[in-house]
Amino acid sequence: MSQHRSEVRQIAFREWLILSLLLLLVTATVSISGILQRSGLGLYDRFMQLDSRPAREDILIVAIDDYSLSELGKWPWPRQHHAALIRQLSAAKPLAIGMDVLFSEADNTLTADGGIPADQALATAMKEAGNVVVPLTSQSAGRGLSAAKPAPQIAAAARQTGHIHIELDEDGVARSVFLREGNGSEWWPHFSLALKNVGQNTAAGTETWIPGTRLPLAERKTSSGEGSWLRDYHMQIPYSGSSGHFTSVPYVAVLRGEVPASFIQGKYILVGPTATGMADSFPTPVTGNEGVVSGIEINANILAGLLDHRAIESASVWLAAIANLLPVLLTMCCLLWMTPRKALICTGIIFMMTLLSCGLLLHSGHWLNPVPALLSLIIAYPLWSWRRLEAAIRYLGAELHLLEQEPDLLPEFQDDDAQTELQTVLTDKLEKNIQAVHDAASRVRNLRQFVTDSLASLPDATLVTTTDGNVVLSNQPARAYFAGIGIPQVNDALVPYLFAKMSQPVNTDPVHSQSFSWWDLLDLKQTKLMAQGIEVRDPAGKDLLIKSAPCYDADKHLTGWIVSMVNITAIRAAERSRDETLHFISHDMRGPQASILALLEMQKDPETALSNEEFMNRIERASRITLGLADNFVQLARAESQDYRFEEVDFQDMLIDATEEMWSLARSKKIRIRTEIPEKEFPVRADRALMTRVLTNLISNAVKYSPRETTITCSLELRQDMNGSLILCHIADQGYGIPRAEQSKLFQRFQRFKTAEQPKNDGVGLGMVFVKAVIDRHMANISFQSAPNEGTTFTIQIPSSQF
C-alpha cells in the first residue's frame, strides 16, 4: 500500500512538472511572439486612464472651435486673421507659439487693410514674433513620401518647422509618436519638440534629452534615396488627461483681445482646430472605446511629457518574457505545496500583485505587458485542480460511474496467465476490486472509443439509431448539417422527423414513389433500395443521397440502423454545367462556323456568290461572333479560377477606363456616357483587369440594350456603416429594361433576354455570370433595379481599403 501511495505521489509530481513546463512554455511563447499584444494594449489603456496627472499651467491651447467658426465664418480663414492672432499673442510675450495649421500652398491675395500679399503679412507677423513654429506633413507624389513643407515665405519666417504625424497602433489608437522624421538628408523634430526647443531657445538637432527608441546608427547616417522617409526616437506618449484636460481659449477671443496678456505671458501657445468635423481627432488610451482627442490636444500631451522629462519605455522582449514567467512559476510552487484553498488564495494574490506591479511600472515610465502571465494564472488553478481531482477519483468514483453508464457489451478475451500473476501480487481486497473495475471500465471505454472514433472519422453525415429510429450516435458533420437547417438537437430525435422537410425521392420506382414514407429507411423490406440510396433535395436546395443499412448483433438480431447522407450538390451542379457547356459548344459555337462553311460553298457557285464586300462582311461577322463567344468563355473560366491578382487601386480609375473603352460603341448609337464622381479617392483591393472587365460588361450591356440618343450615368459614392467604408458604383441606363419574370435568371448561365421593342442582339449569356463571379470573389455585392421601358440601374457595393 505504501508503494502504491508512493507511486501516486510520483504521478502527481510528474503531472505537476509537465503542467508547469507546459504553462511556462506557453507563457514564454505568447510573450515573445506578441500574440496577445492587442489585449495588452487594452490593459495599457485602462492603466493610462487611471494615471491622470494635473495639466501644466504653462501650456495654453488657442482653439479653432465651433464658436470661433460661427464668429469668423467658414474655414479656411484669410491668413491676415492668423497674422493678427500672432501679433496679439506676441504682444503678451509667450515662450513659443505653435500654429497647428497647414500653410502648404502660397496665398498671394491682397489684404484688405494694407494691400499686401497675405503670405507676406503672415510672414512679417511671424518674423516679428520670433518664436513661431509651423507644421509640415509627408505626402506621396508617386515616387514615395516627401515633405509637404509650408510656403517658402512662411517657412523662412518661422523659428522652427516640425512634423505633426501621430503613430496609430493596429487597433487605430494613438499611443506613440516619432520625435524626429526626415528623408535622410534633412530631419525635422516633432511639432511639440520644436515648441519645447523654441521655448528653451534650443536649436533643432542640439537637444540634450530626447526620449524614445532610436534608429540604428547606420540607418541614420545613410543618405536615403528619393522618396524614402525615416523616423527616429519612437516615444510612447505619456498622456496627462483626455479631451479638455489642458486650458483652452477660443481663437476669436484672443483675436479680439478679450484674453488678458497675463494669461498668455510665459506660456507655450498651441493654436489648432478642435471644432467638430474639422479637427484631426484620434482615439487615445485616455478616451475609452469611443472617444477621440483632437490633434492639438495630443500635441499638448506630448509637449507636457517633454517638459516634464517624462516618457514611457517598453520593456525588451526577453525582459518581458522573464517578468511574465516569474508569477507563473511562483503560482505553480504554491499549487504543489499548499492545500487547494490556500493555493487559490495565493493565486488570486499573485494575480492582483502582477496587475498592481505593471500599473506602478507604467506610472514610473515603464511598460510591460502582463497579459501572458495573467492568462496562465487564470488557467493554472483550474488545470491543476482538474488533474488532482482526476487522480483522486480515477480508480473509484469515475470508473464505477463510467461502468454503470456503459451498455452491456460482449466480453473480451483476457490473458489468464497475466491475470493470475496480477492477483497474486495484489493481496488487498480493495485493490483487487479497484483493479477489476479498472479493467472492466477500460475494456468498455476502449470499445466505445473505437466506435466513436470510427463514426467521427467518416466524412459524410452519419447517424446510428435504435431499431425504432431513435438517434443514439451522430458524428460532427451530421450535427453541423442539421443545425444548419434549424434542427439543433439530433441525438434522441426520430429519423423520419429529421427528414420530414426533405423533398420526395427522385430515383425511386414509380409505384414506390407514390407511397414512399421516411419510415422506409427503417424497413427491412426496403433494404435493397436503401442500400443503393435515394436522392432528395433539402430545404436549402442541396442535393443529397441518403442511404440506410441495418445493424445486427452476433446472433443476427436487429440492433439498429446506420443512416448516411452524402452531399452530391457539387456533382449535380457539375453535371448541369457540363450539359450547358456541351449545348453551348454544339449549338452556339457551331452556328457561326457552319455559316462560314455555307458562305464558302455559296461563293464557289457564280450564281449564288455574293459580292466581295458582302462576303467579307459576313465572314467577318461570323468570325467575330465565334471569337466573342470563345473570349466570354475564357473570361468566365478565369473569373471562376483562383488566379486573382489583388492590388491597391482607385475604383474611379477602373470606371474611367471602362467608360473610355465603351465610348466608341456608345458614340455609334449616339448614346451619351456621363460620369458623376466626387473629388475624392475611392481605394479598393481588386484585380484591376477583371474588375475593369466587369464595369465594361455592365456599360456594354447598357449601350446594347438602350435605344439611340439616350444617356448612361456612371456614378460613385463613399458610404460609412457599422462594418466600415463601402464604395457604391451605380450604372444607370434609359434602356428597354429587364422583364420582371426573367430578372431572377439574370446571373444564370446562357440566359438572354429580349423585349418586343429592342432590336436583336448577339450574345451567349455568359457576361452577367462573369460579372457575378468576379464580384463574389471580391467579397462585394451587386444588385439591380429594372422595369420594362424604364431602364436598369446596377449597383456594385465593394468594401473600401481606406481605414
Side-chain angles (χ1 to χ4, degrees), residues 511-588:
V511 176
H512 183 77
S513 61
Q514 297 178 358
S515 60
F516 176 81
S517 169
W518 287 110
W519 290 100
D520 292 347
L521 290 172
L522 312 174
D523 190 351
L524 289 175
K525 296 179 182 179
Q526 306 296 334
T527 301
K528 183 177 180 181
L529 174 64
M530 296 308 163
Q532 296 176 353
I534 57 174
E535 184 175 334
V536 299
R537 178 162 291 184
D538 70 358
K542 297 179 181 178
D543 296 313
L544 303 176
L545 184 65
I546 301 178
K547 299 181 179 182
S548 68
C551 295
Y552 300 93
D553 61 13
D555 296 328
K556 301 300 180 181
H557 294 151
L558 181 66
T559 58
W561 294 85
I562 297 178
V563 181
S564 64
M565 298 180 294
V566 182
N567 189 344
I568 59 173
T569 305
I571 298 175
R572 293 294 178 258
E575 292 176 352
R576 289 191 291 269
S577 177
R578 178 200 61 192
D579 295 340
E580 292 172 349
T581 303
L582 290 176
H583 175 76
F584 166 75
I585 294 174
S586 63
H587 183 269
D588 293 82

Side-chain angles (χ1 to χ4, degrees), residues 414-427 432 435:
Q414 187 172 357
D415 190 347
D416 294 338
D417 294 337
Q419 180 68 18
T420 302
E421 182 179 356
L422 181 61
Q423 290 178 352
T424 57
V425 174
L426 299 175
T427 57
K432 290 180 181 180
Q435 186 63 39

Side-chain angles (χ1 to χ4, degrees), residues 240-443:
S240 300
S242 184
S243 180
H245 184 72
F246 290 90
T247 304
S248 174
V249 294
Y251 182 105
V252 67
V254 177
L255 187 63
R256 293 172 177 173
E258 299 171 358
V259 179
S262 59
F263 195 69
I264 300 173
Q265 184 178 5
K267 294 184 178 181
Y268 294 88
I269 309 300
L270 290 88
V271 182
T274 61
T276 304
M278 177 182 172
D280 50 342
S281 303
F282 304 93
T284 67
V286 293
T287 54
N289 296 329
E290 300 179 356
V292 292
V293 176
S294 63
I296 194 67
E297 292 178 289
I298 295 177
N299 289 332
N301 278 279
I302 299 171
L303 177 60
L306 293 173
L307 294 175
D308 292 336
H309 279 221
R310 184 167 60 91
I312 299 173
E313 180 181 355
S314 298
S316 65
V317 174
W318 294 108
L319 180 59
I322 295 173
N324 277 284
L325 289 176
L326 290 178
V328 178
L329 182 60
L330 181 59
T331 300
M332 293 307 299
C333 292
C334 294
L335 294 178
L336 179 64
W337 295 330
M338 295 181 180
T339 62
R341 183 175 61 180
K342 293 181 179 179
L344 178 60
I345 295 174
C346 286
T347 302
I349 293 174
I350 294 173
F351 185 93
M352 297 305 299
M353 291 297 296
T354 303
L355 272 178
L356 181 61
S357 299
C358 290
L360 293 175
L361 280 174
L362 183 61
H363 179 77
S364 65
H366 302 279
W367 168 243
L368 187 148
N369 182 14
V371 173
L374 298 179
L375 177 63
S376 297
L377 293 180
I378 290 173
I379 65 176
Y381 186 85
L383 286 176
W384 175 240
S385 298
W386 166 64
R387 293 310 304 161
R388 294 180 71 174
L389 184 62
E390 181 72 16
I393 64 174
R394 181 176 301 165
Y395 297 103
L396 293 175
E399 297 295 348
L400 289 173
H401 178 71
L402 291 174
L403 183 61
E404 292 173 356
Q405 298 298 319
E406 293 295 334
D408 294 333
L409 299 174
L410 296 176
E412 297 180 354
F413 293 102
Q414 187 172 357
D415 190 347
D416 294 338
D417 294 337
Q419 180 68 18
T420 302
E421 182 179 356
L422 181 61
Q423 290 178 352
T424 57
V425 174
L426 299 175
T427 57
D428 186 85
K429 183 178 181 179
L430 178 60
E431 292 188 3
K432 290 180 181 180
N433 292 336
I434 292 175
Q435 186 63 39
V437 171
H438 173 73
D439 293 342
S442 178
R443 289 194 301 270

Side-chain angles (χ1 to χ4, degrees), residues 178 180 187 212-221 229-234:
F178 287 89
R180 291 184 67 204
W187 291 85
T213 306
R214 299 220 59 191
L215 279 175
L217 182 62
E219 294 186 26
R220 295 199 307 270
K221 291 189 174 182
W229 193 264
L230 301 177
R231 301 185 293 178
D232 202 2
Y233 292 102
H234 186 215

